[in-house]
Amino acid sequence: MARALAFLTRIGDFVRGLTGWQRFVLALAMGAISALAYAPFGIFPALLLCFAGLVLLIDGTQTRPRPIWNAAFVGWTFAFGQFLLGFYWVGYAFMVDAADHAWQIPIIEFCLPGGMALYIAAACALAARFWRPDASRVFALAICYALGEWVRGHALTGFPWNLPAYGWGASLGVMQSVALFGSYGLTLLTVLFGASLALLFTRAGDWRVPAGMSALFVVLWIGGDVRLALHPTVPIENIHLRLVQPNVPQTEKYVPRYRERNWRRLIDLSLAKNGPTPTHIVWPEAAPPFLLTRAPEALDDIALMTSDKVLLTGAVRIEASSATDYRLFNSLYIFAHGGQLLATYDKFHLVPFGEYLPLKSLFNAIGIAKLVNSPGDFRAGRGPMTFDIPGAPPVTPLICYEILFPDEIAAARRPGWYVNVTDDSWFGPPSSTGPYQHLLTARFRAIEQGLPIARDANTGISAVIDPVGRITVSLAAGQMGAIDAMLPAALPRTPYSRFGEWLFVVLLVLCAAAGWIVRREIRA
């Protein structure tokens, strides 16, 4: 034991002693390694140990000039490494229309992770303001880092992709804790757990906080497994879902010579006799290769197909008062029996630079246009909505990106399930990590709300997720087909669905109080 502690101390001294470019190279490497915790890899110890390394690197800045600025740069470099590896798939979206957008790939591959890393840089700078050579510093970092992640998820429309909480994707038991305090609450505890391990790399070898955090996560894991055992998947009788995955490459989706093929693929997969007769069919985001309401033959096909079924399909929608006055929406249509258009939902959280261009005159002047090739920007809908549909519980649709935002998806009326339609072909080939990360995010939303999710993706991964985050059935990325499944029953409202981020605030206060107590004990 003494040798092990001495070895850890030498490692800690080495990391703290790094200066200049060596410190920042290690921060970049640690950030990149920490990204291996996220889907599809699921190596969560990488995230925890790299947070410990971040503490040691910030320790090293405190004995140098300008400690706050150096801590900020360490934090930025760490986060840049993590986001560079975690977000690399964004570049694939710029290859769909390579002639117009491929030149932007080097810019976006630096600017997106670099911009997101600014939130973590600010968090580390703020933590350095309260840094002390005792255990209180790990509480300061955890609080500031979690707040930085919350701001990342909300500022400038927000981009809460790969939150530290999602590093637990390999442990469905630990994931259950978000039903209590949400993904930002688990983010706070995850950073605190990882950061506390840095205390083992000191001469004092303070083991109390890491031991306490280890015990807490064992309790979360055991409690989560108990919750899973208490809530098996319970299918609702007489509801048979069919999720259609047409697997149409984005480069072929709207090409005139492929439109008929793409349309027939949707119809044929919906009517295939290779499973139980579906009662509810789901098509992915923007599935029809044309404006559906302006294609009478397609509406006739839908009327025949839905004689005794319900169809929920993503579609591009246009409202036009004249040839030059129109509005575009990324929508979802609900067709009831016989093709009756029962409801229309419009996506409310649009993707900047994808569906609309902020600061349009500025970016157009330098040759940057939005990725979706459409005449004008898409317009935002009114927010999450719940719709009654025949033969199934009320449903709240979410289109693609909207599933990312834990505190935005709750409609005024609680549904019995979510349907999440998406087109992850923008994320690249089946080997890309983007679809796996997107699917994991949906699983967290299901657990937080205690509601099942039917997730239909054009190129995959399509899946049915039960209200505790289990995947009951799925179809892999890059495959064409349809999956048939029962709809799982919802659970009663979770604490998170009732109180939202207030329990995250409570955790922040408790961590601040714990840090204050630790510092007071040291002074005494």
Side-chain angles (χ1 to χ4, degrees), residues 25 50 228 252 439:
V25 166
C50 288
L228 289 167
E252 299 178 4
L439 173 63

Side-chain angles (χ1 to χ4, degrees), residues 372-426:
V372 177
N373 185 16
S374 62
D377 290 344
F378 284 83
R379 303 295 183 92
R382 292 180 294 168
M385 303 176 71
T386 300
F387 300 98
D388 293 312
I389 58 175
V395 64
T396 291
L398 297 170
I399 299 177
C400 186
Y401 190 68
E402 292 176 326
I403 201 73
L404 266 65
F405 300 91
D407 51 358
E408 291 187 12
I409 67 171
R413 179 165 64 108
R414 188 177 192 243
W417 58 305
Y418 288 105
V419 60
N420 176 215
V421 297
T422 185
D423 188 354
D424 287 1
S425 64
W426 289 98

Side-chain angles (χ1 to χ4, degrees), residues 479-496:
Q479 294 186 17
M480 182 180 70
I483 54 177
D484 296 298
M486 304 289 283
L487 176 65
L491 294 180
R493 292 182 68 105
T494 63
Y496 179 80

Side-chain angles (χ1 to χ4, degrees), residues 40 46 60 67 81 101 121 144 161 191 238 282 292 366 369 376 426-427 456 485 492 498:
H101 298 292
C144 295
W161 196 283
V191 179
N238 302 320
V282 182
L292 189 56
I366 59 177
W426 289 98
F427 295 175
D456 193 14
R498 291 179 181 275

Side-chain angles (χ1 to χ4, degrees), residues 49 63 146 172 174 183 245 268 332 346 382 409 456 494 500:
L49 291 173
T63 58
L172 187 55
V174 173
S183 292
Q245 185 169 299
D268 292 345
L332 182 136
D346 298 320
R382 292 180 294 168
I409 67 171
D456 193 14
T494 63

Side-chain angles (χ1 to χ4, degrees), residues 16 55 59 131-142 198-199 202:
R16 279 189 290 268
V55 172
D59 280 344
W131 211 260
R132 297 293 184 274
D134 55 51
S136 66
R137 70 191 191 279
V138 303
F139 291 95
L141 179 64
L199 301 178
T202 62

Side-chain angles (χ1 to χ4, degrees), residues 43-56:
I43 308 174
F44 66 84
L47 186 64
L48 300 177
L49 291 173
C50 288
F51 278 135
L54 179 60
V55 172
L56 297 177

